[in-house]
Amino acid sequence: MRLGYHRRRVAWFGAGLSQSKRFAAQERLPQAELARIRRQRLDRLLDHAREHSAFYRERFPPGPVALERIPVLEKAEMMERFDDLVTDPGLRRDRLLEWIDTRRRDEFFEDRYRVMTTSGSSGRKGLFVYDRAGWAAIGGQFLRGSAWMGLRPAIPRRRLAMLGGASLTHMSSQGAATLRVGVHKVLGLAATLPVDEQVAALNRFQPQFLNAYPSVVLRLAEEQEAGRLRLSLTAMSTSSELRTPDMTERIAAAFGVVPFDFYATTEGLFGYECERHDGIHLFDTASVVENVDEDGRPVPPGTPGTRVLVTNLHNLVQPIVRLAVSDVLTLHPEPCACGRSLVRAAAIEGRRDDALSLPARGGGTVTVLPAQFSVITRDRAVREFQVRQEPGGLRVLVVPCAGAGPDLEQRIGAAVGQAMDDLGADAPVLVERRDELARRGGKLQIVVARPPEG
Ligand SMILES: [Zn+2]
């Protein structure tokens, strides 16, 4: 049985590799040509959804339909109507959730599906199923983005270290399992492992390529600078957490390479920085990306949206049409100097749940995004931090670097206080020193909003 698993994994990897070549051929095409490819795929997706999904049959009539006329799909609704939404009647939500909870190792569901869940900061679980073609588009985006970073399959094989720690049901674990077919040498380490154990394992493995959350890389940068970690990297990548320009600078100074940032969603939308490091190119040939405001109206480039509506053009088994993803994107108004015509996000803020709504001086509220706390990462004595919204204001938890002076709390408090003041927010700031911060799935939540009352 395990033999079947390995063969399937190799075959699925091959499908991803072929898809990555198609994405490569598309990435510099003129906009009109990209729009044509997108429309063709969209028509195929909508036809398939209407024919095989009771849920989508209710949502749009037969014949050509403008995407903007189809109602926005909320994650809660997708979960409630999951059994009607999928196009294979053998896929039942409760059974899948039960199946995935009892896995002890990487496996395919009924030998033909990858199944994963998302937790979501709001605690609402999401369930996603991919068949081979749908997963090939995920692998294709990953492989294409990796090629931009200089990580291509090679002989001798490249040594790749990935610090994650997410559960088996998380997309990153299944992505790593897909990758572990012998193309690269892969070392997987838990981000939650004590730092001296991470350092020892990395020194032994000597990766050429490192991928981790920014806060984890920042901690390793300190070890590298102190001479305890001795890595000679050709490239590295970060994702999923806030990375401010100051953090990038500290990481680049320690390792001698500028980290590539990337964006990955379980819904199927991926994006990577190119060699210009000037925003993240989203694979908008694999998904339709709609950046919208609170009322679902399109937001022009240069303006932050409220959420992103994702339509996955390759997942026919669980059609995702205009699914609302709570990320705050600002699209770049100008084309990138690299010549790629894929849409570029100038900024991607953390999940919307991490944006704070603070009382404004003189009434009303002010929205504060995670990046606005970059005043904290600018301080070289800060290793990592977390901002927690509390009834009386903000509590900032700070883990200091070795040798941080006694005035750290006062300095951070003044800097954050000034930043909030500049934004017009009325929020007293309290700073506390900690030895470590709690992580979820290895990931550090930088900003924790207070749940709305009632
Ligand atoms: Zn570019």
Side-chain angles (χ1 to χ4, degrees):
M1 210 50 208
R2 251 353 231 180
L3 187 65
Y5 163 81
H6 290 297
R7 283 211 188 108
R8 188 163 300 110
R9 220 161 43 120
V10 171
W12 283 45
F13 181 83
L17 206 55
S18 304
Q19 188 59 54
S20 79
K21 286 175 187 154
R22 282 191 282 277
F23 288 146
Q26 291 168 352
E27 69 193 31
R28 289 167 201 272
L29 291 175
Q31 286 301 337
E33 186 59 16
L34 292 185
R36 196 192 59 77
I37 293 171
R38 222 176 276 135
R39 186 69 234 182
Q40 210 173 35
R41 288 225 155 252
L42 180 63
D43 288 343
R44 192 192 61 145
L45 170 75
L46 297 182
D47 284 347
H48 183 86
R50 197 162 27 211
E51 199 165 321
H52 301 282
S53 156
F55 176 77
Y56 283 112
R57 238 182 332 264
E58 291 166 15
R59 279 169 101 82
F60 47 88
V65 58
L67 187 60
E68 312 80 65
R69 304 292 292 268
I70 299 174
V72 169
L73 176 60
E74 302 292 342
K75 194 159 127 189
E77 194 177 15
M78 179 191 83
M79 288 306 287
E80 270 160 37
R81 303 280 316 272
F82 187 90
D83 294 359
D84 287 335
L85 186 144
V86 290
T87 59
D88 177 347
L91 296 169
R92 303 288 82 164
R93 181 194 65 197
D94 294 345
R95 193 174 153 222
L96 285 167
L97 288 173
E98 197 187 297
W99 178 83
I100 202 163
D101 272 348
T102 52
R103 289 315 94 195
R104 292 290 165 266
R105 62 184 181 192
D106 184 57
E107 262 176 278
F108 291 84
F109 179 73
E110 291 183 342
D111 293 341
R112 58 201 165 111
Y113 294 120
R114 280 210 170 270
V115 181
M116 54 213 81
T117 56
T118 56
S119 55
S121 331
S122 41
R124 204 179 289 132
K125 213 170 208 181
L127 177 64
F128 294 88
V129 180
Y130 285 89
D131 64 4
R132 176 163 146 172
W135 191 249
I138 300 291
Q141 294 175 83
F142 174 85
L143 290 167
R144 190 59 204 142
S146 301
W148 297 351
M149 301 187 259
L151 181 68
R152 286 188 174 85
I155 299 168
R157 290 186 293 161
R158 307 290 176 91
R159 309 173 73 81
L160 166 61
M162 297 171 98
L163 282 87
S167 70
L168 268 180
T169 72
H170 194 272
M171 177 178 248
S172 63
S173 306
Q174 303 211 16
T178 304
L179 202 62
R180 226 173 267 132
V181 290
V183 175
H184 303 300
K185 285 191 174 168
V186 182
L187 171 73
L189 284 177
T192 44
L193 209 63
V195 71
D196 50 338
E197 288 177 37
Q198 289 177 356
V199 167
L202 288 169
N203 279 337
R204 267 198 308 275
F205 184 69
Q206 282 301 312
Q208 293 148 306
F209 190 94
L210 179 77
N211 172 68
Y213 302 128
S215 64
V216 174
V217 179
L218 200 61
R219 180 71 188 87
L220 290 174
E222 217 181 304
E223 293 298 304
Q224 178 88 0
E225 285 196 318
R228 289 184 291 272
L229 180 64
R230 292 173 295 276
L231 298 186
S232 160
L233 298 173
T234 47
M236 71 161 79
S237 60
T238 60
S239 69
S240 307
E241 290 174 359
L242 173 74
R243 197 185 88 199
T244 66
D246 303 276
M247 290 165 79
T248 306
E249 204 181 291
R250 280 160 76 173
I251 293 166
F255 290 104
V257 291
V258 179
F260 287 87
D261 202 7
F262 73 91
Y263 172 73
T265 67
T266 315
E267 290 80 359
L269 174 62
F270 278 53
Y272 290 81
E273 272 185 4
C274 69
E275 64 282 1
R276 302 273 169 169
H277 297 281
D278 189 13
I280 291 178
H281 287 287
L282 298 169
F283 281 97
D284 61 345
T285 46
S287 300
V288 178
V289 182
E290 296 175 85
N291 199 20
V292 298
D293 67 13
E294 247 147 67
D295 302 317
R297 283 180 307 230
V299 173
T303 310
T306 304
R307 341 194 260 176
V308 191
L309 307 181
V310 175
T311 299
N312 182 325
L313 296 173
H314 291 261
N315 189 346
L316 296 182
V317 68
Q318 181 183 355
I320 304 281
V321 180
R322 308 195 85 206
L323 180 62
V325 175
S326 49
D327 283 344
V328 178
L329 256 69
T330 307
L331 297 180
H332 215 295
E334 302 296 328
C336 185
C338 74
R340 289 180 183 89
S341 35
L342 301 175
V343 72
R344 185 164 47 132
I348 301 178
E349 304 282 350
R351 298 271 158 173
R352 184 72 189 171
D353 312 64
D354 298 344
L356 297 180
S357 183
L358 297 177
R361 269 194 318 270
T365 56
V366 181
T367 300
V368 178
L369 295 172
Q372 280 156 330
F373 293 101
S374 61
V375 287
I376 306 176
T377 59
R378 208 164 291 158
D379 196 305
R380 297 291 166 125
V382 175
R383 177 178 293 161
E384 52 192 40
F385 74 95
Q386 185 174 61
V387 177
R388 310 184 71 96
Q389 182 180 24
E390 296 187 346
L394 299 176
R395 186 183 299 265
V396 182
L397 308 180
V398 175
V399 179
C401 291
D407 58 343
L408 179 71
E409 287 90 335
Q410 186 271 329
R411 198 167 65 232
I412 297 295
V416 176
Q418 183 64 52
M420 293 306 109
D421 211 41
D422 293 346
L423 292 166
D426 179 20
V429 179
L430 184 76
V431 182
E432 273 173 29
R433 203 181 276 241
R434 291 288 164 90
D435 291 331
E436 59 180 338
L437 297 173
R439 312 178 88 87
R440 202 177 48 195
K443 187 164 140 188
L444 181 65
Q445 195 177 352
I446 305 290
V447 177
V448 183
R450 195 160 61 95
E453 275 149 60

